[in-house]
Amino acid sequence: MDVLPYVEMSFNVIGNTLPADHGYGLYSAIAHLCPELHQQDWLSIETIKGIPDERGKIYLTEKSRLRLRLPGDRVPLVYKMAGKPLKIGNYQIRLGIPQIFMLTPAHQLRSRLTVIKGFEEPQSFLEAAKRQLHQLEIEGKISIPNNFLGQPERKTIKIKRFTVVGFSLEVGNLNEEDSIKLQCEGLGGKRRMGCGVFIPYQEEV
């Protein structure tokens, strides 16, 4: 399988706060600004990191970024977002000028939240994730990390009126080719809402 030359576009984010669970709202705002991005399978959108207040919000910092993964030839479709405001529910942010990076391989990758339709229990979810990894012809050691209680790290995302259940995932022992492929392809669904997007593990620390 030949992997398209994907890139990551990183916009600095100007604003104060966002909902901690903003994957759906962020995708909706981006699709409203750029309708041609709606339902494009090649697009992955990472949720924006900030400092959680433990009450359902995050505080944005100078390091907060909006990161999108897409084939290099689709960059012009996204570049016009530079300098534009995004309204996410009752919150508003403004995007800066993006930087563009090539994806770099890493031995271990992590997804903050992956969702696979029909699988909401840790063991069956992990088996489904292994099958998807096998279908992509990626060899690696896949696992669900534990939370601070020593239990599989279960996460949720709210999409309209529905709450979708998933888990964090780690994939280790990756060679360079498989690492790039997993960063391009991801696992599970809702990748335009921040799910199933894998980043080098050290970025999460």
Side-chain angles (χ1 to χ4, degrees):
M1 172 183 173
D2 292 327
V3 178
L4 287 171
Y6 268 58
V7 299
E8 183 166 280
M9 294 185 70
S10 176
F11 295 83
N12 64 308
V13 176
I14 302 157
N16 296 314
T17 57
L18 280 177
D21 184 355
H22 61 263
Y24 174 75
L26 178 60
Y27 169 56
S28 297
I30 290 172
H32 180 75
L33 183 61
C34 299
E36 57 270 40
L37 299 181
H38 185 59
Q39 294 187 343
Q40 295 291 355
D41 289 339
W42 43 260
L43 178 65
S44 293
I45 302 172
E46 295 180 42
T47 50
I48 299 168
K49 293 184 176 65
I51 300 171
D53 72 349
E54 308 300 338
R55 289 176 291 182
K57 289 193 304 186
I58 59 170
Y59 292 99
L60 302 176
T61 74
E62 61 182 15
K63 294 182 178 180
S64 296
R65 297 288 185 272
L66 168 63
R67 292 185 170 97
L68 297 89
R69 290 214 189 127
L70 64 162
D73 60 357
R74 307 297 173 95
V75 164
L77 292 177
V78 176
Y79 200 90
K80 63 183 182 181
M81 291 168 50
K84 298 290 179 33
L86 287 179
K87 187 171 174 59
I88 302 168
N90 296 322
Y91 301 79
Q92 184 162 301
I93 58 174
R94 183 175 293 275
L95 303 179
I97 304 299
Q99 294 178 288
I100 301 174
F101 303 97
M102 298 300 295
L103 298 180
T104 57
H107 177 70
Q108 185 169 6
L109 300 176
R110 179 170 183 162
S111 166
R112 187 187 68 84
L113 166 62
T114 299
V115 297
I116 301 175
K117 188 175 181 179
F119 298 94
E120 296 187 357
E121 296 301 324
Q123 192 56 45
S124 61
F125 174 88
L126 188 58
E127 292 302 321
K130 286 179 179 177
R131 288 194 293 272
Q132 290 196 6
L133 207 65
H134 180 73
Q135 288 167 2
L136 290 171
E137 299 180 348
I138 293 174
E139 293 186 9
K141 183 179 180 182
I142 189 167
S143 61
I144 300 173
N146 288 334
N147 60 20
F148 66 96
L149 296 174
Q151 300 167 340
E153 194 166 2
R154 181 180 182 271
K155 302 275 190 179
T156 60
I157 178 174
K158 192 166 186 180
I159 300 173
K160 297 183 180 178
R161 294 177 292 108
F162 303 97
T163 298
V164 179
V165 175
F167 294 88
S168 297
L169 275 179
E170 292 179 4
V171 184
N173 298 341
L174 290 164
N175 62 36
E176 291 192 1
E177 181 181 352
D178 285 351
S179 178
I180 294 295
K181 187 188 295 185
L182 183 55
Q183 291 180 68
C184 292
E185 298 287 340
L187 293 178
K190 315 295 184 191
R191 288 197 293 279
R192 294 182 297 276
M193 301 176 195
C195 303
V197 182
F198 285 81
I199 66 174
Y201 180 67
Q202 57 267 28
E203 290 188 16
E204 287 281 275
V205 176

